[in-house]
Amino acid sequence: QLQLVESGGGLVQPGGSLRLSCAASGFALDYYAVSWFRQAPGKERQGVSCISSSGGSTLYADSVKGRFTISRDNAKKLVYLQMNSLKPEDTAVYYCAALLGPISSGWEDWKYDYWGQGTQVTVSS
């Protein structure tokens, strides 16, 4: 089955760090741009970050700039989201999504080819 799988979520205290991973099953993730989204209870899904297929271009939501870093290791077929200085407002289910094509402004609203099931990130004392 073609799918994306996120991992690495958990419970952390404010100021802590987590690294999320996104892996593909059944297709070559290294050909795809990958984005991270999140959705908190009662809120709309929002884009967090995206990275081009080569890893040469990255984009971030203003709310996470300076704290989160998206990266990928195409040899390992993995995309990461390193989350530092976590805040309670970062609490959400985090999803990765893959798209065949370049990234640019408006990436949050594109129709993605694949989505993962999500991984819960909870930031609480």
Side-chain angles (χ1 to χ4, degrees), residues 21-32:
S21 297
C22 177
S25 177
F27 68 97
L29 188 61
D30 52 321
Y31 286 91
Y32 289 75

Side-chain angles (χ1 to χ4, degrees), residues 49-65:
S49 185
C50 68
I51 188 167
S52 61
S53 59
S54 69
S57 297
T58 59
L59 295 168
Y60 297 91
D62 287 342
S63 59
V64 306
K65 285 181 179 177

Side-chain angles (χ1 to χ4, degrees), residues 48-109:
V48 176
S49 185
C50 68
I51 188 167
S52 61
S53 59
S54 69
S57 297
T58 59
L59 295 168
Y60 297 91
D62 287 342
S63 59
V64 306
K65 285 181 179 177
R67 299 188 299 121
F68 291 10
T69 302
I70 191 169
S71 63
R72 69 191 304 159
D73 185 339
N74 282 343
K76 297 181 178 179
K77 306 293 194 294
L78 293 173
V79 175
Y80 305 103
L81 184 67
Q82 179 67 46
M83 305 185 295
N84 299 324
S85 302
L86 283 162
K87 304 174 181 179
E89 51 262 45
D90 295 317
T91 296
V93 177
Y94 283 70
Y95 302 88
C96 64
L99 174 72
L100 271 178
I103 65 171
S104 64
S105 60
W107 59 272
E108 305 95 329
D109 301 316

